[in-house]
Amino acid sequence: MYYLFRHGETNWNVEKRIKGQLEDLKTEFTSKGKTQIDNILNEIKKYNIEAIFTSDSYRTKETSKIINLNLQLPIYYYEKFRGLNMGDFQGGFMSDFLNNEKVKKAFVDYNYVIPGGESINQLNERFISGLDIIRDNYNYSKVAIVSHGAAISNIKSKLSGENYEDIDFCVIIYKDNQYSIIDYGTYN
């Protein structure tokens, strides 16, 4: 089973700025983000998670390190679990991103590549290939994956066949040669 968690909220989330895969500017967790990280820790303990897989982005690595301070679980870093590459819009504001006609097109045609970035289908294929790596190369039955909101939300939409909605966590099971969503939601 795969337990996907969005990293803790950062100052950029509050400022409605786009980090995407931009790594040269550091973010900091908000007090809400720190509470979210504590909640993820409680979920990991509750479900007896055996390992943590995380995006190699700073905010996901830091979320995972904080979670793992006392657990001492194996942590694996994978580019496959990065957030959506928002290309030319990274570092800017979400409002500019969402109001851009090319971006709007990318949210209708999932094969359309965001200028300088990637398409929704490229994100989904990359993420699912990461799930496949875990499934095929590790002997864990329950893993946590710390990733990004847009990645988790798009994977949920793809696997469930439902419309996109912003979520913070979801649970995926692999059964009968396919991945399925068995739970999802937002942090309180």
Side-chain angles (χ1 to χ4, degrees):
M1 224 177 281
Y2 307 85
Y3 296 83
L4 281 59
F5 300 101
R6 180 189 173 277
H7 62 80
E9 179 186 75
T10 69
N11 59 311
W12 277 50
N13 299 127
V14 171
E15 296 166 11
K16 302 212 181 297
R17 294 184 63 189
I18 297 172
K19 186 83 162 148
Q21 294 186 6
L22 185 65
E23 286 297 309
D24 58 345
L25 299 171
K26 189 176 174 188
T27 55
E28 296 178 9
F29 294 116
T30 63
S31 59
K32 179 180 177 180
K34 291 174 185 175
T35 299
Q36 291 169 340
I37 293 169
D38 288 340
N39 291 338
I40 295 169
L41 171 60
N42 291 334
E43 293 295 303
I44 288 176
K45 287 179 182 177
K46 179 169 90 176
Y47 292 112
N48 297 313
I49 299 297
E50 302 166 276
I52 300 171
F53 291 78
T54 184
S55 154
D56 61 348
S57 298
Y58 175 79
R59 58 204 182 276
T60 53
K61 289 193 307 189
E62 288 303 304
T63 295
S64 297
K65 286 177 187 175
I66 294 167
I67 288 167
N68 204 34
L69 283 174
N70 295 317
L71 297 177
Q72 299 302 302
L73 297 173
I75 297 181
Y76 304 90
Y77 303 102
Y78 277 88
E79 287 181 19
K80 304 279 187 193
F81 300 127
R82 285 182 180 176
L84 177 65
N85 184 340
M86 299 180 200
D88 298 344
F89 299 93
Q90 296 178 148
F93 289 94
M94 187 62 74
S95 58
D96 295 332
F97 176 72
L98 295 175
N99 290 318
N100 182 282
E101 291 305 314
K102 291 180 180 178
V103 172
K104 288 180 183 179
K105 183 175 180 178
F107 291 142
V108 174
D109 175 359
Y110 285 5
N111 288 313
Y112 186 80
V113 175
I114 295 169
E118 68 184 336
S119 72
I120 301 294
N121 280 339
Q122 287 172 325
L123 164 68
N124 287 333
E125 290 168 13
R126 172 171 50 80
F127 204 101
I128 290 172
S129 72
L131 296 177
D132 291 342
I133 289 170
I134 296 171
R135 183 195 70 215
D136 295 340
N137 295 290
Y138 296 91
N139 245 349
Y140 302 119
S141 60
K142 295 179 180 181
V143 300
I145 298 173
V146 179
S147 187
H148 306 267
I152 293 170
S153 298
N154 276 296
I155 286 299
K156 182 262 179 190
S157 177
K158 165 116 177 119
L159 296 179
S160 68
E162 298 172 358
N163 290 335
Y164 177 95
E165 63 182 301
D166 287 325
I167 63 171
D168 295 317
F169 70 89
C170 73
V171 182
I172 299 174
I173 191 168
Y174 185 78
K175 184 178 178 183
D176 299 328
N177 294 317
Q178 67 179 14
Y179 294 104
S180 301
I181 303 293
I182 60 171
D183 192 19
Y184 65 93
T186 57
Y187 299 142
N188 294 327

